[in-house]
Every structure is written in structure tokens, then in C-alpha cells.
Amino acid sequence: MGLVVALLQLNPTVGDLAGNAAEVERAVALAAANGADLAITSELVISGYPPRDLLRDPEFIQQCADVTAAIETPIPLIVGTPLPPTSDRHLPGNGSMRIVPGRKAKVATRKQLLPTYDVFDELRYFEPDKAPGILRLSENLSIGVTICEDAWQHAGEVPADYDADPIEQLAAWQHQGEPLALSVNLSSSPYHLHKEGTRGDVVRAAAKTLGHPYLLCNQIGGNDDLLFDGRSLAAWPDGRMIQAPSWCAGVLLVDIEDGDGDAARWLPWPDGKCCTECNCKVECVGVGSEPSVPESGVDLLAAITTGLGDYCRKSGIKKLVLGMSGGLDSSVCAAIAVRAVGAKNVLGLSMPSRYSSDHSIADAEATAKALGMELHTHSITALHQAAEAELNDELVDGNPVARENIQSRLRGMMVMAAANSRGAMAVTTGNKSELAMGYCTLYGDMVGGYAPIGDLYKSEVYDVARALNREAERFGETPPITESTLTKPPSAELAPDQTDQDTLPPYETLDAILHAHIENGASKSTLIASDFDETLVNWILERLNANEHKRWQMAPAPRVSNRAFGQGWRQPLAAKK
Amino acid sequence: MGLVVALLQLNPTVGDLAGNAAEVERAVALAAANGADLAITSELVISGYPPRDLLRDPEFIQQCADVTAAIETPIPLIVGTPLPPTSDRHLPGNGSMRIVPGRKAKVATRKQLLPTYDVFDELRYFEPDKAPGILRLSENLSIGVTICEDAWQHAGEVPADYDADPIEQLAAWQHQGEPLALSVNLSSSPYHLHKEGTRGDVVRAAAKTLGHPYLLCNQIGGNDDLLFDGRSLAAWPDGRMIQAPSWCAGVLLVDIEDGDGDAARWLPWPDGKCCTECNCKVECVGVGSEPSVPESGVDLLAAITTGLGDYCRKSGIKKLVLGMSGGLDSSVCAAIAVRAVGAKNVLGLSMPSRYSSDHSIADAEATAKALGMELHTHSITALHQAAEAELNDELVDGNPVARENIQSRLRGMMVMAAANSRGAMAVTTGNKSELAMGYCTLYGDMVGGYAPIGDLYKSEVYDVARALNREAERFGETPPITESTLTKPPSAELAPDQTDQDTLPPYETLDAILHAHIENGASKSTLIASDFDETLVNWILERLNANEHKRWQMAPAPRVSNRAFGQGWRQPLAAKK
């Protein structure tokens, strides 16, 4: 049996330094009790990632370093933490400290490559280091230490151009006669669908170049508008790889001399939630040359459940309220809300109008019943009539969309009244396809502090709905999304016999074009060359740009940078006066 | 008479490359016709500043360079523009091109110091240059060229630490025997109150170090959430300085060998708006060792008028709608709206409830009349009753604030209905003090695409109101803000006999504490040591943090970085379904 390294895959809360340090202490104790010789955390585990503006406060940085230095551990431990600047003219470091029992805590390394694109803004907060991350743990044991991005340029997986390549630096160091037993990477690598493949390429490229095992510890959970899926990794130079479970906290023990996986053990976190797939059994550790690839709907369901659940737990939100129309989006959001805070803490409002169909009301009721949550019915008819009477002069010769929006805004007012009254947060139910097209009402169906499916295209919402139903069937429960909800044409029901497709192209086509443009950066000419209809491409991009234009004011920006998986548009929480 | 340099102080629109280039051509023609030998623009005048995500599009960058190279000019001209990257692994440059009649346009310089703090994110978009900006215009004329931040580190006016000091580089270059006649600085230096003093320190420090004149050309106008005040500058090594007018486009002609200002001329832009203070007479060019310091209310009035006016003009918004309660905030916003788009394009809504006082309605009417704008009255009483009846079960045992919010949200719905119906943008009327304290209703009085006074503390709103009234008096018009509005205790009128001070501390105290904390970064202990009451400081900071916490989700961030003068919180424009 060789050196056993523990990857502490935890779920830190941004700003909760004492709580995060306590989690690290519990995890390293568990690792040591199970035979680990050395443990590493994820990137910035003490502050939680991303700490953003907190990093502008020198007192906060010092507190991070102090809390880290005070961590108690029975085995050597490398902890990711913000570090005080090296001079008063410099920014803090994104680094790590080495905690060895019986010795004084010491700064180990600082991150060299600071991503400043997409969801990252690290040059805003940190000073880049220039030295390779070599850590001598004992007379006979030196290891390489890198932090997240440090390893990505080497695999050609970054859009930036850095002067340094920390993996090559470690390789050069080895060639100069300093043997490294292994290298580690402290990561806070945000989730997007299918990212596990890219992350696997990164660790394998590093292991191959270095000629020794390369171990990556990733954070899990939701912080601010980012999600982290875990899936910590160990790779060997010959391409073998082990992957920890997704979406759950725990400790992965890796025997670095035994790369066939027999010695890899997953210790689930005692009071942590389990991932959807595996119930945290040891078997879920994928062994082999390819990381396990989950079915999309299942992975997205775990992702958005984690996002809303962590948002509520970490923000102190106990109760949720949402409007339920019987349509796909609000039905799926209700199911996610129930998974996030429990059925007894979720209130749905059915708010029929003169244009609501019977099946809409029945579908909402069936979903609420299947989920075991409360559903209150409040008609908007009387308010709608009163509003049209009072505002007749404003509306009579105007844009007819103003009348449609009134209904949506009265519903928004009702959702907020119920939420404010009971101290709950409203959840808004829009999906990425309709938000991108502006097919939604500002201050209407857009009210809410959190958009659980705001970063899912409509077709992905169907995938999640089916995953929810399959899961219910597996446990012998009633599938929450009714057959009618899954099969009827989507409609806002703000005018007689209205359907989404009166205004929008079929979602299958819309989503394909939006995905190519937003996620992959395909330009208009590329899209047209890809056999999409030119008129349709022009219509969609014009509407998208007009909507971006509205959202981001006057810059006619062509797209949102949104390749990493955010939790939808960042919206203020349910403010009370 | 020596070399005459023209500073083209223009108001570019982000993304309007052809329009911006045409403005440069017109301005340089005017300068040449008035005897200029050389002209310079502000920073990134071709793309407009800040171009933000547009810079991620390689086609956009190439278009900027192409449009710049095609500019026609009768005299040598230095134009600020994004520049294509020097290799496909690099980011674009924030640079300048040299356009000389009869010669091929050529890249002149690239910015070295890229601010990435506060409102700046330039390392996200640009590659920093490492070479000093020397430009040889003819056999006998070489000048130094710097771009905005390049000059600020030298004066000790940046929070960042850069490896290079471009002013020292130019000085070293001179010492090596290359004489520079002058140096210039292409700036997009955002406005905040009293920034003219700091900017003056920067140009004087550079002129002193370099031993030759230092000329700074700044942009004016509003772009996205930033405002630019112009006030281009020329400084001589002995401390003499000339400042161009604020808030208006035009050309400042500077004879660099005649630093007593006799040869400085201001050519106002033919169809540009004039600044409030000076009507663009030549006299407004401040000559002497100190830049002219305007009265705060007057300067802020010009700033927020420019902001809303440019926002509307550049976004294609012709009409505005806002709720008018007769209180200070909405009355001032109405006056700003009228200045921005004209009285006939502004609609006010008076929306009384059972709690509205008679003087509120009368004050709103008097203000609308003085401004010459339309005011429609729509009572919320019937809707309020219908809402309370329908929602009684939700409200009966709940937080009473939910009832107050209903009124505000019904008003928000009405404002949006009127705005959507006529294709107008809603203006939201909150000030920075109440927004910081969360003393406002999300989706209620916060609805609107633009917050004209969202970055003004309540006490500054009073300053602006008095400046508005003084200006009206000067022109023999009725002061728009009534005496009653100026003197009555502020109230939201959402409950019987309610005043702001039932909930908040006196604005004088609140504003002093908020200003010290938000603008100057004073910590809690600093505030208490400054003789503010400890209980009050704790109360305010807790409420501020809780509100930030809500706004920015879970990070308990202590403050908004808001030292530069933004146009209030960035909100989506009046979206239509």
C-alpha cells in the first residue's frame, strides 16, 4: 500500500469562515481515521468560492489566513484560502496553506494563472504568483501544488493566453532532479453540462506530462450564481482515472500507487445529501479511463436542485412561493422547490383568469397533490376587471401587449404578497429560451429571487421533467409532471387560444439556434452556413439582441457570456419594504 | 504662436462605429479650420467607452480598426480605438491610431496600465502593452502618447500596483536625448462629484515630471451605467492649467507655448447641448492653477440630466412615464425627465390611495404644471380593495409590510401599463439612501428602466432640487419643486401618518454614515471612532449588509464598489412581452 491521499470534496458557504474551517476539520479527521496520509481541500475552501467583493476587505483576508492557520488536523493538510498580500501595494493571493501536526502553519503556494473571462474575474481580486508550487512535506516527500486554472492552459482548455505553464514548470523541476511523488490541484471548477469530459482531459494531460499521479479536488454546491458539481479526480500517467461522485460532499481516498481503483474509497459525508444517481455507495466511484457520463436530464435535475437548495440554506430562506399555471415550467419549478426546502415549506398559487383553460387548473392541482405541497387558488378576474376599468384611457389606443402584461403583473403582485406575508422567497419560473426571446413579462412572471430553470433551454426542461417522473416511478410515487403538461402545446394563456408558437418558432429549432449562438459562439453567418433558415436566424438574433440591449442597456451586445452554468439571471431576493 | 493642439471632447455612442467616426471627422475639420496643427480624441472614441462584451467579438475589433483607418482629416490626428490583437493567442489592445493626411493610417500606441477595479474591468478585455508611447509625427516633432490610467499611477491616484510607470518611461526617453514637444492622454475618465480636482493633480504631476505640456482629452456623456463629464485639461510644468467645459461636446484649442490661457479657445459643438453653467461661451474655459469647482447641486443636475438624456437618445427611447407622489424624489425625477426628452414626451401618473394626503396630490399637480408635462390621475383604491379581498387569507396573520407593498406594486403595474401601452420607458424614482436601506418596494416603486437619482443620497437630491428651482427663477419660470415638497417630512404614504423617519434615522445622519462607508470605505470601527453613535452605525450597517445580501445573493458583502459615479442600479428596460 502506497501513499493515501484524501480529497476533501466539501460544500463551503461564501463568507462563513468558521463554518468552512470546521467542515475541513471534520473531513480531515474522517480521512485520517480511514488511513489517509495527506489531505487536500478545494480552492478557497475557507472563504468559499467565489468570494468576490469580500476580497476587497483586508480584514476579511487576514481572518481567512488566521482561521486557516488555526485548523487542527491529525495528518498533513493543504488548505485553499485567500492569503494576505506580500506587500501593501499588492493584491491578496489565491493560495494554499500547509498545516502539519506539530508545526506552524505556513503559506504553501499561490495561484499563478488567474482566469478573467466568462464567470471569472480573478485579476480583479488577486495578484498572480510567478513561482512553481513545490511543497516539501518531509525529507522524502515533495509534491507539486497547483490551483485550478494552473492546470488548464497545459491541456489547451482556456481562452486566455498566459505567460507561464505551471505544469511545465513542475515537469522542469523534476528534470532538474527534484523528484515529486505526485501533484495536486485545488479546484473550484464550475459546472456546466458535460464538463466532466473536459476536466478529465485536463488531469490526464497533467499526469502524462508529469509522469506521476495528478489529483484534483473540486468544491460542490451552489454559491452565488455558480454551481459546482464535485467529481474530484485522480489520474495516472498511463491514462487511468478515478472520479468521485457528483453533487455530494465526502472524502475520496486515493492510493496513488494503486491506480486500478481497488484502493479508491469514497467516504460519504455523514449529514450531507447524496447525489441523485448513486446514494453515495462506494460503487459510484467510476474507475477506468473515461469518467462516467450521466444522462443529461438526471444531471441537470441534480444541478438545479443543488442550486436552489443551497441558495435557500445558505441565505437562511426557509419557505418558497410560486405561481403554478399547470404548464411545464412552473410544474418543474414546483418539484424543484419541494426537493430544495421540503413540501411543507412550498406554497403554490393557482391564479386563473378569463383565459385560463380547465386543464391548466387541473394540471397544477395534480402536480401539487403528487408533490404533497399546498396550492391556493386566487382568481385574478376581479382585479383584472378593476385594472382595465381604471386604466381604460391609457390602454384604449395603445399596444395590446400592455393588456396581456397587466394579467401577468397582477399575478406577480399576488405571488409577492403571499411571499412577503409569510417571509418566503418567490421563485420565478422562466426558462432560458423564453427569457432569451423576452417572451415573459418584467415584474410579472419574472418576479422572484431565484430562477431555478433560468439557465435551461425549454428542451432541457422537458428532459428534467422526464427525469423527475422516472425517479418518482422508481420509488413507487406518482409522477409529478402530468402527461397533459408534458404533451399540451406551451401557452402563456394571456389571450384567447394563445400558444407560445404563435410568437416563437418551434422550441426544437429555437433551442438549437440559441444553443449554437450563446453556448458555442456561432455567428450569424456560421448559423446560416449550418443549414438553419436565414430568415429565422435573423429573426431570432434580432430579438435576442434587442432583448440583450434592453437588459444591458445601450450596448448592442450580441450575447451573454454564459458558457459556465450559472443559476439563471441574478435577481434580488424578495425584498420587503 | 506655437503648436496648436485640439482636444476633441466628444460624446460617442457605444457600438455606433460609423456615427462616432463621423463625429471625429466633423470635429477635426472644425479644429483645422480654426488653426489647429494636431488633434487628439478621447479613449476608445470609435467604439465608445465602455464597449464591454462587444470587445469579445473579433469582427467588432476589426471593424473598429477599419473605420478608424478610413477617417479623413486635414491635420494629423490621434484616434482612440480598440486594436486587433498582435497574435491569435492575445487579447485586443486599447490603443490609438495615427492618421496623417496623405499617409497610411498606422497603429500608434497601446495602453499599458489596464484598470481592473471599481467600474473598470479592462484586463478582462485587453492585452496590456509594455512599450512607451512615443509617436514621431514629423522630422522635428515627437510626442508622448498615453491612455487614461497610464498617467494615474504616477500621481499616486490608483488603488492598483502596476509594474510600469508610462510617465517615467517618457521622462527616461527624453533624458536619453529624444526631445518630446508635449505628451497627450486619451481618456475616458468617469465622473464622480469633485473628480476635477483629482484629474487636475494627475495632469500637473505628469507635466512637472516630463518638463513639457501634458494634455488630456476626455469623453463626455452617458454610456451604459457610466457618466463622463468632459473637462479636458492642459497643464504646464510650472503648474498652470486650462480646463474645458463640463458636460458639453466641443473642441478645446491649446497653444502649447502659451500657457497663460490667452490662446486657449473653446469651440462649442454646433448641435451639441450646452453645459448648465456656461452656455458654452469661451469664458467658461477656466484658466489658472486650479480647475473651476462648480456648486454640487448644479454639477449633479447636469450629470443626471446628461445621463438620462443620453440613455434615451442612444437607446432610441422617445417617451418616459413615471409615478408622481408629490414627494421630493418623484418631483425631481419628473424635472429631469422633462429636461431629458422634452415636456411633451413625459407622462406623470398621480395614483392616490386611501392614505394619500391632499398636499401630495396638489404638489404633484403643481410640479407637473410648472414643468408643462401631462399628469393623469388613477386612483388605486378600487384595485387595493379588490386585492385585499382576494388575498385576505394570505395576509390576515402575516407580516403587515405585505399590505403596504401591495399598494406600491399596484402603482408599479399602472406605471408599466401606461408605459407599455405608449411604447415609453418607465423611470424609477428611488434615491441612493433609501435604496441602500431597502426602504423601497421591489416590483413596486422600483419598477423602471432607469433610476435618474439612484446614485444620489437624499441630501444631494435636495441640492439638485434647489438648483432646479434657482435655474427656473433665473429664467423667470415657476420653480418646479414646490416649497411644500421641499419642507414636508418625507413619507411613503403606505400607512396612516407614515413618515420615512418612523423607520429610518434622520437623512442627514444616515447620509453621512452611508457616504463615509460606501464612498470612502470607512469600516464600522472607523465610523464609531468618528463620533457616530455606535447603535446607529450597527443598525445602518446591518440593514445595508442585509440589503446587499439580498441584492447580491448570499455573499455577505460589506459594500458596493461605487466610488465612480454610476447611473444608479442597472435595471432592465421596460420589457414588453
Side-chain angles (χ1 to χ4, degrees), chain A residues 49-116:
Chain A
Y49 194 97
R52 296 189 172 145
D53 274 15
L54 289 173
L55 297 167
R56 305 297 297 179
D57 177 3
E59 289 178 22
F60 177 81
I61 303 290
Q62 191 58 52
Q63 282 164 11
C64 288
D66 293 346
V67 164
T68 304
I71 286 175
E72 297 195 355
T73 171
I75 55 174
L77 169 68
I78 304 169
V79 181
T81 177
L83 293 170
T86 51
S87 88
D88 59 9
R89 299 201 57 209
H90 287 88
L91 291 170
N94 175 348
S96 67
M97 291 182 82
R98 186 206 67 185
I99 325 277
V100 175
R103 289 161 68 184
K104 199 158 173 281
K106 198 178 136 183
V107 169
T109 60
R110 292 164 194 264
K111 189 174 185 175
Q112 294 192 63
L113 310 191
L114 298 176
T116 304

Side-chain angles (χ1 to χ4, degrees), chain A residues 153-383:
Chain A
Q153 165 141 312
H154 188 69
E157 292 290 353
V158 292
D161 174 50
Y162 301 101
D163 290 336
D165 180 341
I167 300 299
E168 289 292 352
Q169 288 172 354
L170 293 178
W173 189 267
Q174 290 213 111
H175 293 150
Q176 285 161 24
E178 174 83 19
L180 302 174
L182 73 155
S183 290
V184 297
N185 184 287
L186 285 63
S187 279
S188 289
S189 174
Y191 171 70
H192 62 72
L193 194 58
H194 307 315
K195 190 162 182 181
E196 66 281 351
T198 315
R199 222 182 267 132
D201 293 344
V202 167
V203 293
R204 281 194 285 205
K208 190 174 172 192
T209 297
L210 292 167
H212 62 228
Y214 193 79
L215 284 68
L216 179 154
C217 180
N218 195 21
Q219 159 175 331
I220 71 141
N223 269 330
D224 208 333
D225 56 344
L226 297 182
L227 294 178
F228 301 88
D229 55 336
R231 296 187 166 114
S232 297
L233 289 162
W236 281 261
D238 59 8
R240 285 169 303 152
M241 187 154 59
I242 290 174
Q243 181 184 282
S246 55
W247 307 113
C248 53
V251 174
L252 183 71
L253 295 183
V254 179
D255 184 335
I256 64 157
E257 288 166 23
D258 182 3
D260 65 3
D262 286 352
R265 290 170 59 202
W266 174 248
L267 311 172
W269 204 227
D271 49 5
K273 269 191 315 177
C274 176
C275 53
T276 313
E277 273 178 291
C278 68
N279 287 311
C280 286
K281 296 193 192 79
V282 175
E283 289 80 354
C284 70
V285 179
V287 177
S289 60
E290 289 304 323
S292 69
V293 179
E295 194 265 327
S296 295
V298 171
D299 203 37
L300 291 173
L301 173 57
I304 64 178
T305 302
T306 301
L308 181 59
D310 274 2
Y311 186 84
C312 292
R313 181 173 61 82
K314 294 178 179 183
S315 303
I317 293 160
K318 310 271 189 237
K319 298 178 195 169
L320 299 174
V321 173
L322 79 167
M324 289 178 69
S325 68
L328 181 74
D329 294 338
S330 58
S331 300
V332 167
C333 285
I336 303 301
V338 164
R339 292 160 76 95
V341 298
K344 70 178 192 303
N345 295 313
V346 181
L347 170 64
L349 295 187
S350 171
M351 298 173 286
S353 76
R354 65 181 84 138
Y355 303 126
S356 295
S357 57
D358 290 343
H359 66 73
S360 298
I361 301 165
D363 287 335
E365 283 170 354
T367 294
K369 189 174 171 205
L371 293 168
M373 59 174 278
E374 250 184 304
L375 181 74
H376 295 177
T377 300
H378 296 293
S379 166
I380 65 163
T381 306
L383 275 156

Side-chain angles (χ1 to χ4, degrees), chain A residues 89 118 124 161 394 421, chain B residues 89 118 124 161 376 394 421:
Chain A
R89 299 201 57 209
D118 198 3
R124 191 175 177 88
D161 174 50
E394 307 293 347
S421 182
Chain B
R89 298 202 59 210
D118 200 359
R124 192 175 177 88
D161 174 51
H376 294 177
E394 307 293 345
S421 182

Side-chain angles (χ1 to χ4, degrees), chain B residues 84-393:
Chain B
T86 51
S87 87
D88 60 8
R89 298 202 59 210
H90 286 89
L91 291 170
N94 175 347
S96 67
M97 290 182 82
R98 186 206 66 184
I99 326 277
V100 176
R103 289 162 68 185
K104 196 156 175 283
K106 196 178 136 184
V107 169
T109 59
R110 292 163 194 265
K111 189 173 185 176
Q112 295 191 63
L113 310 191
L114 298 176
T116 304
Y117 53 80
D118 200 359
V119 300
F120 305 109
D121 271 305
E122 296 196 11
L123 282 170
R124 192 175 177 88
Y125 302 113
F126 296 117
E127 199 78 28
D129 198 5
K130 282 165 185 160
I134 311 287
L135 189 58
R136 197 164 205 183
L137 285 168
S138 68
E139 192 72 31
N140 304 316
L141 181 61
S142 290
I143 68 172
V145 183
T146 55
I147 299 189
C148 207
E149 187 87 346
D150 284 346
W152 287 65
Q153 165 141 311
H154 188 69
E157 291 290 352
V158 291
D161 174 51
Y162 300 103
D163 289 337
D165 180 341
I167 300 299
E168 289 292 352
Q169 288 172 355
L170 293 177
W173 190 266
Q174 292 215 109
H175 293 151
Q176 286 161 23
E178 174 84 18
L180 302 174
L182 73 154
S183 291
V184 297
N185 184 286
L186 286 63
S187 277
S188 287
S189 173
Y191 170 71
H192 62 74
L193 194 60
H194 307 314
K195 190 163 183 180
E196 65 282 351
T198 314
R199 224 182 265 131
D201 293 344
V202 167
V203 292
R204 282 196 285 205
K208 190 173 172 196
T209 297
L210 293 167
H212 62 228
Y214 192 80
L215 284 68
L216 179 153
C217 181
N218 195 21
Q219 157 175 335
I220 70 140
N223 269 332
D224 207 333
D225 56 344
L226 296 183
L227 293 177
F228 301 88
D229 57 334
R231 297 190 165 112
S232 297
L233 289 161
W236 282 261
D238 59 7
R240 284 169 303 152
M241 185 155 60
I242 290 174
Q243 182 184 281
S246 54
W247 306 114
C248 53
V251 175
L252 184 71
L253 296 182
V254 180
D255 182 335
I256 64 158
E257 286 166 25
D258 181 2
D260 65 3
D262 285 350
R265 293 168 59 202
W266 174 247
L267 310 174
W269 204 228
D271 50 2
K273 268 190 317 179
C274 176
C275 53
T276 313
E277 272 177 294
C278 68
N279 286 314
C280 286
K281 297 190 192 81
V282 176
E283 290 80 354
C284 72
V285 179
V287 177
S289 60
E290 288 304 322
S292 70
V293 179
E295 196 263 326
S296 295
V298 171
D299 204 37
L300 292 174
L301 173 57
I304 65 178
T305 302
T306 301
L308 181 58
D310 274 2
Y311 185 84
C312 291
R313 181 172 61 81
K314 295 178 179 183
S315 304
I317 293 159
K318 310 272 188 236
K319 299 179 193 169
L320 300 174
V321 173
L322 78 167
M324 290 178 68
S325 68
L328 181 73
D329 295 337
S330 58
S331 301
V332 168
C333 285
I336 303 303
V338 164
R339 294 161 75 96
V341 297
K344 70 177 191 304
N345 295 313
V346 181
L347 170 64
L349 296 187
S350 171
M351 297 172 285
S353 76
R354 66 180 84 137
Y355 303 126
S356 296
S357 57
D358 290 343
H359 67 73
S360 298
I361 300 166
D363 287 335
E365 283 169 354
T367 293
K369 191 175 169 203
L371 293 169
M373 60 176 275
E374 249 184 307
L375 182 72
H376 294 177
T377 300
H378 296 293
S379 165
I380 64 163
T381 306
L383 274 156
H384 189 187
Q385 282 167 353
E388 292 203 316
E390 184 62 51
L391 295 169
N392 188 54
D393 293 351

